[in-house]
Amino acid sequence: MSTPAPNDPASHSDAAAAVPGRKPMDAIMSLCKRRGFIYQASEIYGGINGFWDYGPLGALMKRNLREAWWQDMIMNPAWGRRGPNGEPVRCVPVETCIIQHPRVWEASGHVGGFNDPMVDDRETKQRFRADHLCAVWNSLKLEEHHTELPRDKPFVSVIASTPGEAVAHIQSNPKLLRPYRLHGSFKVSPFDDRVWVAEASDKDATLLLLVRAVEVDEIRAHHDLIPSPFTQKRSVLTEPRQFNLMFFTYTGAVFNEDAKVYLRPETAQGIFVQFKNVVDTTRVKMPFGIGNTGRSFRNEVTPRNFTFRSREFEQAELEFFCHPSESREWYAFWRDFRMEWWKSIGLAGDNLVLREHDKDELSHYSQGTSDVEYRFPFTAPGFGELEGIAHRGDFDLTQHQKHSGARLEYFDQERGELLPNGSRRGERYIPHCIEPAAGLDRGVLALICEAYTRDESRPSPEFMKFHPRIAPIKAAVFPLVNKDGMPERAEALHAELNRRFGRQGLIETDAKQTIGKRYARMDEAGCPFCFTIDGQTMTDQTVTVRDRDTGGQTRIGIDRVAAFLSDRLGD
Ligand code: GAP
């Protein structure tokens, strides 16, 4: 792998852990590797930047997240609630190709507009997104004669999507602010979305730092003045240039422009191009949704923050089509449901927020967009996007209608003037579309960060508090000792639970090592329940149930274990 960028929180020591409340990203990544959640792709060849593989526990966990999405968005959409029209919500799935006709991406705007402005460091050859540059732009030294430091020259710049993330980054690298030798005492507060004020204390003085995002035009005008975020050297940055994020390849044996095709950068367009087929071949009636999950590819300029910004990732997207007059209500419906959904699988609390975009952030066709955002350890105290819910109007279907020549209007028999025979004249229109677009890899990462818990009073201090629906291992069955009939009883119970719950996740059994070590291993994997067969089981047919989060133990009848688990797993 290309060496991790020096500014990558994953690449340096986790001073961030010293900030109260922030979880240590180094420890989380190390647990992910040690327990087989996430591995670097092609690791034995040195890795490849922006690509990650899932190990056994990670693959199971991601499957659980995908299944939960599939179940709650397609099979039983919105948990069986009625939509704003008073009727049950209807959704169907599709599974579309990664490679589509290249004109799909012209119509969608990705060929012309899916660009990031990129800047190179001429010396180190490192590359970053110009719109991800934040700088300590201004600073004021309090005390010590109230001297002001130069106002027009940023003396530190870092790569971060938001000034909040930049502050977190500077906090975790106090060396960046040399010669001010900060002691790590930082008080920060957002001034607005674009500017953060950080009060940093040195042993002699207090600095007030103004941290803000640098506009791409400013880099264009002052690229000699702005220090490189990698080395802090000036006069090494190039001017920003546009860089298309789509990976491409060629179909067939001849490699020329006519054979050029793209790897999809989103699953959504597969839905729009099959809209007509779904309407014509199934019995869907407006309003309805079409869901699509699968891999998407973006040649991100600076992949970073573990799996957060990868070059290959998985999306779970729904396009919900409705009559234009109902679109605002459906937008609010899906926005609120998606927030509730993430809470329901374990992201409840202050780390999750719903952020409605300001009017000036919206695309010209959009009447509203909200992001479900999570406070990742590397964005804290700021937040990073987990899912976007966008009101896309009729933009996509109109574009594809224009570019393909196919009629993508919908004929709605239940609308239009009431006729004397009691039926309706019908209405032809291009539906509006509400798009909840989630990232499964960011979802897994948020769930892992949220679940990671340290409790020094436990024999093995790290454990993962996964929601039972997401936990890769659902339960474990242990014989207390490997004799006196206990292994046989454990094996029988394990087989019963595996038959009943095996399709939801792993049911483990293990007879090696002390019981304490076996519990600790399950805690680290986030297994919510362990059932232990002990001497008492042989006399009164009860087992102990150990709770992962409290370590508390209770006894229940061995014949009640399946029902107990079924209650908790929602089987
Ligand atoms: N069809 C709309 C769309 O693709 P997006 O906000 O670009 O919208 C949706 O992507 C979600 O996909 C994001 O909220 C995020 O969870 C995930 N995602 C996007 N780019 C990603 C990347 N480079 N790495 C991991 N996940 C990504």
Side-chain angles (χ1 to χ4, degrees):
M1 139 167 180
S2 32
T3 332
N7 67 321
D8 188 335
S11 69
H12 52 245
S13 82
D14 218 331
V19 179
R22 186 175 310 145
K23 294 185 182 178
M25 206 53 215
D26 281 2
I28 293 174
M29 290 174 72
S30 131
L31 186 142
C32 281
K33 166 89 192 278
R34 194 172 71 244
R35 293 312 311 272
F37 281 96
I38 301 173
Y39 307 132
Q40 208 178 26
S42 311
E43 191 180 313
I44 59 170
Y45 289 96
I48 169 164
N49 202 8
F51 296 88
W52 298 92
D53 289 338
Y54 289 87
L57 291 187
L60 280 163
M61 188 182 161
K62 191 164 164 190
R63 189 198 71 153
N64 292 343
L65 181 62
R66 190 186 302 112
E67 285 288 314
W69 186 92
W70 181 269
Q71 185 60 31
D72 300 345
M73 296 295 282
I74 308 285
M75 305 309 288
N76 183 28
W79 302 326
R81 282 185 192 161
R82 284 172 189 271
N85 58 348
E87 306 216 346
V89 182
R90 291 175 298 227
C91 294
V92 293
V94 290
E95 188 182 309
T96 64
C97 283
I98 285 171
I99 293 180
Q100 300 279 342
H101 194 291
R103 290 187 53 209
V104 168
W105 309 112
E106 286 166 23
S108 68
H110 286 88
V111 169
F114 196 48
N115 298 317
D116 277 343
M118 127 206 131
V119 168
D120 289 304
D121 178 322
R122 278 192 295 261
E123 279 191 356
T124 63
K125 308 289 175 228
Q126 277 157 318
R127 173 167 287 181
F128 63 90
R129 269 174 66 172
D131 57 336
H132 279 182
L133 187 74
C134 292
V136 174
W137 199 257
N138 212 333
S139 68
L140 184 64
K141 202 167 182 183
L142 298 181
E143 300 157 19
E144 265 204 353
H145 320 300
H146 300 273
T147 344
E148 275 196 22
L149 293 171
R151 277 178 167 272
D152 56 340
K153 293 185 183 132
F155 63 90
V156 164
S157 62
V158 293
I159 296 293
S161 308
T162 64
E165 196 187 328
V167 170
H169 184 49
I170 293 168
Q171 258 176 299
S172 62
N173 280 283
K175 279 191 206 141
L176 279 175
L177 286 183
R178 261 189 210 138
Y180 300 100
R181 284 179 294 109
L182 298 173
H183 285 186
S185 144
F186 253 91
K187 271 198 267 166
V188 286
S189 43
F191 183 70
D192 60 31
D193 266 2
R194 309 282 296 164
V195 180
W196 280 62
V197 181
E199 190 185 310
S201 296
D202 176 84
K203 73 174 175 349
D204 313 311
T206 297
L207 289 175
L208 269 191
L209 309 170
L210 201 62
V211 182
R212 72 164 170 86
V214 182
E215 301 296 333
V216 176
D217 282 346
E218 281 173 316
I219 311 181
R220 200 161 279 127
H222 301 295
H223 58 100
D224 278 351
L225 248 177
I226 297 169
S228 166
F230 302 106
T231 59
Q232 301 302 323
K233 255 179 130 175
R234 286 171 208 259
S235 303
V236 292
L237 298 185
T238 62
E239 275 194 50
R241 278 172 294 152
Q242 292 301 326
F243 173 77
N244 192 288
L245 295 189
M246 279 194 295
F247 280 101
F248 60 85
T249 183
Y250 300 95
T251 48
V254 183
F255 290 6
N256 61 23
E257 272 303 298
D258 292 342
K260 189 170 170 186
V261 289
Y262 300 96
L263 304 196
R264 69 178 171 201
E266 59 172 26
T267 52
Q269 296 304 321
I271 299 177
F272 296 120
V273 298
Q274 291 299 354
F275 170 79
K276 182 170 161 45
N277 270 337
V278 173
V279 169
D280 291 349
T281 60
T282 70
R283 298 176 67 116
V284 287
K285 278 197 304 185
M286 209 57 67
F288 69 93
I290 306 180
N292 199 10
T293 64
R295 300 287 174 129
S296 293
F297 301 81
R298 297 183 189 177
N299 195 3
E300 297 283 359
V301 179
T302 37
R304 64 207 172 97
N305 290 335
F306 204 13
T307 58
F308 182 82
R309 180 163 292 109
S310 310
R311 289 180 166 143
E312 175 175 346
F313 54 96
E314 190 167 341
Q315 293 185 304
E317 299 194 278
L318 183 80
E319 302 300 332
F320 194 84
F321 300 96
C322 61
H323 189 270
S325 66
E326 292 179 346
S327 59
R328 281 193 164 277
E329 284 97 335
W330 279 108
Y331 166 66
F333 175 86
W334 283 112
R335 180 197 59 199
D336 297 346
F337 175 68
R338 294 306 299 156
M339 180 72 179
E340 256 190 88
W341 186 81
W342 285 107
K343 286 184 186 167
S344 79
I345 53 171
L347 295 184
D350 293 348
N351 287 338
L352 197 71
V353 293
L354 186 68
R355 186 178 74 83
E356 186 94 37
H357 286 208
D358 291 336
K359 284 242 163 358
D360 57 359
E361 282 181 89
L362 297 177
S363 336
H364 63 280
Y365 51 79
S366 180
Q367 295 180 33
T369 296
S370 304
D371 288 342
V372 177
E373 296 184 336
Y374 180 73
R375 191 192 278 128
F376 291 92
F378 46 81
T379 59
F383 292 81
E385 179 189 327
L386 198 56
E387 168 162 353
I389 300 102
H391 183 313
R392 298 186 61 88
D394 61 5
F395 176 76
D396 303 271
L397 289 180
T398 305
Q399 282 294 103
H400 285 299
Q401 176 162 283
K402 210 159 76 189
H403 284 251
S404 68
R407 285 189 80 177
L408 299 180
E409 291 157 326
Y410 176 81
F411 183 69
D412 196 333
Q413 295 175 342
E414 290 170 15
R415 288 186 179 267
E417 185 194 336
L418 190 61
L419 300 175
N421 67 2
S423 67
R424 297 255 168 202
R425 184 176 295 281
E427 182 185 336
R428 197 174 287 284
Y429 57 90
I430 296 208
H432 275 198
C433 183
I434 312 301
E435 174 190 74
L440 293 183
D441 305 272
R442 283 196 193 168
V444 167
L445 185 58
L447 291 162
I448 285 177
C449 292
E450 183 74 11
Y452 179 87
T453 313
R454 263 196 96 83
D455 178 352
E456 300 301 335
S457 69
R458 293 164 77 120
S460 176
E462 285 176 314
F463 67 109
M464 300 296 273
K465 276 189 181 178
F466 290 129
H467 188 282
R469 198 172 179 201
I470 294 302
I473 305 180
K474 302 296 182 196
V477 181
F478 299 139
L480 181 64
V481 289
N482 215 356
K483 56 182 184 184
D484 301 335
M486 291 180 217
E488 292 76 15
R489 291 303 291 272
E491 217 176 286
L493 181 60
H494 173 252
E496 181 196 340
L497 298 185
N498 211 13
R499 258 195 316 277
R500 174 93 187 263
F501 303 101
R503 73 194 151 81
Q504 291 187 42
L506 273 185
I507 308 291
E508 279 271 4
T509 182
D510 184 3
K512 294 197 195 85
Q513 297 190 306
T514 63
I515 191 73
K517 284 201 174 136
R518 282 180 274 165
Y519 286 152
R521 233 185 116 62
M522 285 301 113
D523 289 350
E524 265 192 351
C527 167
F529 310 106
C530 294
F531 302 100
T532 303
I533 311 285
D534 54 18
Q536 197 177 327
T537 313
M538 312 317 267
T539 54
D540 69 1
Q541 314 304 318
T542 62
V543 298
T544 61
V545 187
R546 177 180 173 280
D547 181 274
R548 172 196 65 202
D549 300 345
T550 62
Q553 299 192 14
T554 46
R555 291 198 84 85
I556 61 170
I558 197 166
D559 56 348
R560 288 204 43 243
V561 170
F564 174 95
L565 208 50
S566 168
D567 275 355
R568 269 94 189 152
L569 299 182
D571 172 50

